[in-house]
């Protein structure tokens, strides 16, 4: 370095000694390798002092290995490699084309440059911006994942962020009153241990973030039995920042963070970008509509509405948790509840010995059917009379999924009447026979709480006066807008509409 | 592979640097402008070895800055197909792993990792050999062969293999 006067003839004369010198130095740099980043490389180049012309610069690998010393050679174990190379194993059979995938247009197996686009290819941008895998390759990795699941006894768990594990809001969406409250809470938490901090003020992201109570314990417990993966509609910076808060040691998620733009279709989440077997994947999300193809993998979470802006977005009339100066109970709250459900599903999955029945979808369904087992429902003023097939009504289906039997008319087997209005003939019958009358919210609450809720909390009179919740489309739109603490590109438009009560269903006791 | 090349570069200096330390400033500016860049034609410019010649400055009308044509010798790093490189693993995932050799990023897919290596995701994702002795994880040093390169105008990307003799892990992560 810095030898400005060296000329070409000079360097040619000096080649033999310098080659030795160069090789030795390369070896020393191997003995003390440093993490090589941009400047590391510069340093390596400086070690070479006067780099040789092309032919001399690259000693053959064997010589390099010798120079590196005996300890390195044992690690390389050439014998072992040779056996796998010579054996006409599956590797010899599998060859390009078809190319399994491309990295920046280079085939990941044969190194050829891509020539034409592959229709089945799916981009895996969250792994690397240039990575594309063919459908077959993704399936192959998924089937490998299933094998690994069976060996390691760890299922895949796909986690949503917003309103599931945490809540975020933009600084500008917080009014001065709440802001004072938040700063007070922040100071209070600053006195406690670092690990117990839930509220985070992120001025660089222009955001307040509050972790759901019990989330750290939840992740720790889930980590034992599940491989965790984040899948959010927030943008990448947001997703990484939240992952850093949830998982500072990168123990749970590593690189498995899928954010907006990684999905194959806009505003819809799909397991096709998750390299895991569908039969071994559970999903935790607060919006059912974004998983159109994977409803049976989904555990629907009750929304965590901590900030007032979240409540507004989903059209919830009740004040948010922050405004009420309260929060979910960590021991019996939603996360603790679903953790129990996940663990039961996990146990059933691995208790099954028949490989055909090792499917989380059926086991999750079984767990769900236990919730209202032994209950027989009759609906009143819930399903329109004109409906030709009442069993196709979403509420009817939900009740069946929860294990309840449904009937069109009352009988002695009827245990509950689900009514949207008072003083119907079925309701009067129920009062006469001492059967509980509950509002449809009771069913939703059962689906969130994974047990039979207390009937007394779900009176019909209060239900009939409550405003109508968002429709499914609006609910999805609101969820998309809320992703990333309100950075979504959906217009913010919470207008109330009927149907789909699930989003706003209040669950007393949480 | 590393080469010493003679390249040239137009450097523009504002008038406040016209003085006794002009040449020094020019060299500083040259270092900061070219070192660490990548050109598709030559590869990554690792460091400037020497400045060979500096042309007479031409004053630009309007700004008063002078532009100099500087000829310099530099070390460039350009990967070739078939070349063997030592690299540090930067990420392990289900598809394979990424490694860095200085400024160059290389991807090794699971097809090009010997079959006896298996992915484990128990804690940190890593590829572990059947006997459990060799582990490819974050920070491992590997020796790999480049099987494909893509050279764009301002970036180079490689795909590599460790499924050959004398290739594989050569060092574990530094504590």
């Amino acid at each position: 370095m810095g030898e400005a006067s060296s000329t070409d003839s000079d360097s040619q004369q000096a080649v033999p000694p310098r080659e030795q010198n160069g090789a030795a130095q390369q070896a020393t740099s191997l003995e003390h390798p440093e993490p090589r980043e941009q400047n590391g490389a510069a340093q390596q180049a400086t070690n070479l002092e006067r780099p040789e012309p092309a032919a001399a610069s690259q000693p053959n690998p064997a010589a390099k290995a010798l120079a590196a010393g005996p300890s390195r050679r044992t690690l390389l174990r050439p014998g072992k490699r040779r056996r796998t190379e010579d054996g006409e194993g599956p590797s010899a059979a599998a060859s390009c084309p078809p190319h399994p995938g491309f990295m920046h247009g280079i085939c990941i197996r044969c190194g050829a440059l891509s020539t034409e686009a592959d229709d089945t290819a799916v981009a895996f941008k969250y792994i690397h911006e240039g990575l594309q895998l063919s459908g077959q390759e993704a399936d192959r990795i998924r089937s490998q994942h299933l094998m690994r699941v069976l060996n390691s006894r760890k299922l895949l768990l796909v986690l949503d962020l917003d309103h599931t594990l945490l809540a975020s809001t933009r600084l500008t969406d917080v009014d001065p009153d709440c802001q004072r409250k938040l700063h007070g809470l922040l100071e209070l938490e600053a006195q406690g241990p670092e690990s117990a901090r839930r509220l985070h003020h992120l001025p660089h992201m222009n955001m307040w973030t509050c972790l759901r109570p019990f989330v750290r314990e939840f992740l720790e417990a889930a980590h034992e039995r599940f491989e965790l993966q984040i899948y959010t509609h927030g943008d990448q910076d947001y997703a990484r920042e939240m992952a850093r808060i949830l998982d500072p040691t990168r123990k749970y998620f590593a690189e498995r963070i899928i954010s907006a733009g990684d999905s194959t279709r806009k505003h819809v989440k799909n397991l096709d970008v998750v390299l895991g077997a569908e039969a071994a994947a559970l999903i935790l999300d607060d919006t059912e509509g974004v998983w159109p193809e994977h409803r049976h993998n989904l555990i629907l979470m009750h929304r965590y509405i901590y900030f007032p802006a979240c409540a507004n977005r989903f059209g919830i009339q009740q004040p948010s948790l922050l405004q009420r100066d309260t929060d979910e109970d960590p021991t019996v709250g939603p996360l603790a509840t679903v953790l129990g459900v996940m663990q039961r599903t996990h146990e059933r999955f691995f208790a099954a010995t028949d490989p055909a029945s090792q499917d989380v979808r059926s086991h999750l369904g079984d767990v769900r059917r236990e919730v209202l087992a032994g209950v027989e429902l009759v609906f009143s003023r819930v399903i329109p009379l004109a409906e030709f097939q009442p069993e196709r009504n979403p509420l009817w289906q939900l009740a069946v999924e929860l294990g309840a039997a449904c009937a069109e008319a009352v009988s002695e087997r009827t245990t509950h009447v689900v009514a949207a209005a008072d003083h119907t003939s079925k309701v009067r019958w129920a009062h006469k026979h001492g059967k509980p009358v509950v509002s449809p919210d009771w069913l939703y609450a059962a689906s969130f709480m994974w047990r039979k809720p207390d009937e007394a909390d779900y009176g019909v009179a209060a239900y009939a006066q409550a405003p109508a919740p968002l429709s499914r489309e609006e609910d999805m739109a609101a969820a998309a807008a809320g992703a990333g603490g309100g950075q979504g590109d959906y217009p913010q438009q919470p207008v109330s509409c009927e149907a789909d009560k699930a989003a706003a269903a209040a669950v007393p006791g949480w | 592979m590393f080469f010493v090349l003679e390249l040239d570069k137009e450097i523009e200096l504002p008038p406040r640097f016209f003085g006794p330390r002009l040449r020094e400033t020019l060299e500083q500016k040259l270092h900061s402008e070219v070192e660490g860049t990548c050109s598709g034609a030559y590869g990554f410019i690792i460091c400037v070895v020497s400045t060979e010649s500096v042309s007479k400055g031409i004053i630009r009308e309007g700004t008063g800055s002078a532009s100099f044509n500087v000829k310099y010798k530099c070390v460039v790093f350009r990967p070739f197909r078939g070349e063997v490189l030592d690299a540090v693993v930067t990420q392990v995932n289900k598809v394979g792993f990424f490694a860095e050799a200085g400024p160059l990023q290389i991807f090794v897919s699971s097809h090009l990792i010997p079959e006896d290596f298996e992915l484990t995701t128990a804690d940190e994702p890593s590829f572990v050999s059947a006997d459990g002795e060799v582990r490819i994880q974050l920070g491992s040093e590997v020796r790999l062969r480049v099987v494909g390169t893509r050279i764009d105008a301002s970036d180079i990307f490689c795909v590599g293999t460790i499924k050959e003799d004398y290739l594989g892990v050569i060092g574990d992560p530094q504590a």
Side-chain angles (χ1 to χ4, degrees):
Chain A
M1 177 87 187
E3 294 219 18
S5 61
S6 80
T7 60
D8 275 355
S9 64
D10 184 24
S11 71
Q12 256 162 27
Q13 279 169 3
V15 159
R18 203 177 300 150
E19 188 177 9
Q20 261 182 0
N21 186 25
Q25 261 169 359
Q26 215 159 9
T28 37
S29 79
L30 283 170
E31 297 284 286
H32 309 284
E34 308 133 315
R36 287 172 212 152
E37 278 149 38
Q38 295 282 28
N39 52 3
Q43 200 159 7
Q44 202 187 13
T46 32
N47 279 349
L48 289 171
E49 199 109 39
R50 271 178 265 169
E52 306 82 3
S57 76
Q58 194 64 55
N60 73 53
K64 248 174 144 184
L66 282 172
S71 65
R72 306 288 176 197
R73 255 184 302 163
T74 52
L75 278 168
L76 285 168
R77 297 183 310 161
K80 191 133 195 173
R81 298 291 160 277
R82 187 167 291 130
R83 241 179 299 140
T84 54
E85 275 295 291
D86 289 349
E88 299 287 317
S91 69
S95 65
C96 292
H99 300 294
F102 293 100
M103 176 65 75
H104 280 299
I106 316 168
C107 169
I108 58 172
R109 185 161 57 196
C110 68
L113 291 177
S114 71
T115 45
E116 66 228 48
D118 181 357
D119 297 341
T120 64
V122 176
F124 286 83
K125 277 188 272 183
Y126 68 97
I127 297 179
H128 192 278
E129 52 173 350
L131 181 63
Q132 236 186 11
L133 294 179
S134 71
Q136 289 158 344
E137 175 70 1
D139 288 344
R140 190 186 67 86
I141 293 173
R142 282 196 192 100
S143 64
Q144 279 181 351
H145 171 250
L146 194 57
M147 300 285 291
R148 230 174 25 246
V149 160
L150 299 177
N151 289 334
S152 66
R153 300 179 70 84
K154 268 190 171 188
L155 297 173
L156 184 68
L157 179 65
V158 180
L159 294 165
D160 176 48
L161 287 179
D162 287 290
H163 311 118
T164 300
L165 295 185
L166 47 84
S168 291
T169 189
R170 284 178 293 187
L171 296 183
T172 47
D173 289 346
V174 180
D175 61 40
D177 193 34
C178 285
Q179 207 148 356
R180 264 194 305 280
K181 220 185 260 182
L182 285 170
H183 280 290
L185 284 171
L186 202 62
E187 270 169 39
L188 202 68
E189 282 191 357
Q191 291 160 10
E194 178 69 24
S195 60
R197 280 187 62 196
R198 292 201 300 111
L199 189 65
H200 294 263
H201 183 218
L202 308 165
H204 56 286
M205 306 275 296
N206 185 26
M207 208 160 283
W208 282 100
T209 294
C210 185
L211 304 185
R212 198 169 200 164
F214 195 67
V215 70
R216 292 195 192 278
E217 295 83 349
F218 171 84
L219 289 176
E220 183 57 42
H223 174 66
E224 309 259 299
R225 300 183 184 200
F226 295 87
E227 186 185 309
L228 307 179
Q229 171 134 20
I230 288 179
Y231 195 150
T232 175
H233 270 160
D235 64 20
Q236 193 180 22
D237 293 341
Y238 174 76
R240 297 208 177 267
E241 184 70 18
M242 293 304 121
R244 192 186 60 75
I245 292 172
L246 288 169
D247 178 22
T249 55
R250 295 164 56 84
K251 172 173 147 195
Y252 306 131
F253 304 116
E255 304 291 332
R256 298 185 295 272
I257 301 167
I258 306 177
S259 51
D262 295 330
S263 297
T264 42
R265 276 163 62 204
K266 218 172 179 203
H267 306 308
V268 169
K269 296 182 183 179
N270 197 307
L271 288 181
D272 60 359
V273 292
V274 178
L275 288 174
E278 286 176 24
L282 283 178
I283 301 165
L284 218 58
D285 204 318
D286 63 301
T287 315
E288 191 177 1
V290 296
W291 289 101
E293 288 174 39
H294 301 282
R295 275 195 63 219
H296 297 293
N297 298 74
L298 176 69
I299 299 177
L300 192 66
M301 288 294 292
H302 188 250
R303 281 210 173 103
Y304 182 50
I305 304 290
Y306 188 73
F307 295 106
C310 308
N312 291 342
R313 191 171 292 119
F314 291 108
I316 296 170
Q317 304 297 318
Q318 229 180 0
S320 63
L321 292 166
L322 176 66
Q323 286 161 307
R324 281 184 282 154
D325 289 317
T326 172
D327 214 331
E328 290 169 349
D329 185 333
T331 49
V332 296
L335 280 177
T337 308
V338 297
L339 183 64
V341 172
M342 281 158 42
Q343 285 172 344
R344 265 182 283 157
T345 312
H346 181 277
E347 274 160 27
R348 281 164 186 255
F349 184 93
F350 288 104
T353 45
D354 172 21
S357 67
Q358 287 190 324
D359 190 329
V360 286
R361 288 167 285 199
S362 62
H363 294 301
L364 184 62
D366 289 345
V367 174
R368 191 174 273 138
R369 269 190 291 281
E370 286 170 7
V371 174
L372 291 185
V375 169
E376 184 165 325
L377 302 175
V378 169
F379 292 100
S380 175
R381 289 282 172 92
V382 175
I383 303 169
L385 279 177
E387 192 141 359
F388 183 57
Q389 289 172 302
E391 64 273 11
R392 295 186 64 175
N393 184 285
L395 260 180
W396 184 300
Q397 288 186 338
L398 176 66
V400 171
E401 275 175 23
L402 291 171
C406 297
E408 286 185 62
V410 293
S411 68
E412 65 271 23
R413 288 193 310 275
T414 303
T415 57
H416 292 72
V417 173
V418 179
D422 255 332
H423 311 301
T424 66
S425 60
K426 284 176 190 164
V427 170
R428 278 201 297 273
W429 174 87
H431 286 316
K432 199 169 132 202
H433 290 80
K435 310 275 186 189
V437 178
V438 292
S439 71
D441 275 350
W442 181 77
L443 272 178
Y444 294 119
S447 77
F448 288 129
M449 297 169 94
W450 294 82
R451 62 181 164 82
K452 198 163 24 165
D454 185 0
E455 286 86 355
D457 289 336
Y458 297 89
V460 177
Y463 175 85
Q465 283 159 15
L470 303 183
S471 73
R472 167 164 297 202
E473 287 71 30
E474 285 170 334
D475 184 54
M476 265 178 81
Q487 294 178 324
D489 50 2
Y490 256 90
Q492 300 203 6
Q493 43 64 56
V495 221
S496 51
C497 183
E498 48 210 301
D500 207 354
K501 189 90 181 163
V507 181
W510 276 359
Chain B
M1 217 172 268
F2 294 97
F3 299 93
V4 179
L5 286 184
E6 196 173 307
L7 301 173
D8 64 328
K9 166 104 185 154
E10 291 283 327
I11 304 257
E12 207 172 294
L13 273 191
R16 69 168 180 280
F17 296 112
F18 299 171
R21 287 158 64 89
L22 183 135
R23 205 186 154 92
E24 212 174 297
T25 319
L26 259 183
E27 283 183 11
Q28 269 174 15
K29 201 155 184 211
L30 177 74
H31 280 258
S32 65
E33 277 186 21
V34 302
E35 283 181 356
T37 62
C38 174
S39 81
Y42 304 113
F44 297 97
I45 297 176
I46 305 291
C47 72
V48 174
V49 180
S50 62
T51 22
E52 298 296 298
S53 71
V54 179
S55 74
K56 285 211 165 78
I58 296 165
I59 306 283
R60 290 209 185 272
E61 278 176 44
T63 62
S65 298
S67 91
F68 299 83
N69 186 287
V70 184
K71 287 199 166 61
Y72 60 97
K73 269 196 176 158
C74 60
V75 180
V76 297
F77 170 56
R78 194 191 138 115
F80 288 92
R81 209 177 174 158
E83 185 178 350
V84 173
L85 290 172
D86 291 348
V88 180
V89 175
T90 54
Q91 195 207 105
V92 178
N93 57 51
K94 287 175 186 166
V95 194
F97 67 84
F98 289 91
E100 275 176 5
L104 176 70
Q105 205 179 26
I106 304 146
F107 176 66
V108 179
S109 82
S110 55
H111 292 281
L112 300 179
I113 298 172
E115 266 103 21
D116 59 332
F117 276 87
E118 209 170 282
L119 179 70
T120 61
T121 45
D123 281 314
E124 195 187 352
S126 52
F127 286 93
V128 184
S129 65
D131 54 13
E133 268 179 35
V134 185
R135 180 180 270 268
I136 301 172
Q137 58 193 359
L138 192 72
S140 293
E141 291 155 38
V142 291
R143 182 161 295 159
L144 49 86
R145 184 187 295 280
V146 174
V147 295
T149 59
R150 173 161 208 108
I151 296 173
D152 297 333
S154 63
D155 200 18
I156 298 181
F157 192 85
C158 287
V159 164
T161 177
I162 57 166
K163 201 173 169 182
E164 276 179 44
D165 289 354
Y166 299 105
L167 300 180
V169 177
I170 53 173
D172 291 326
Q174 309 286 302

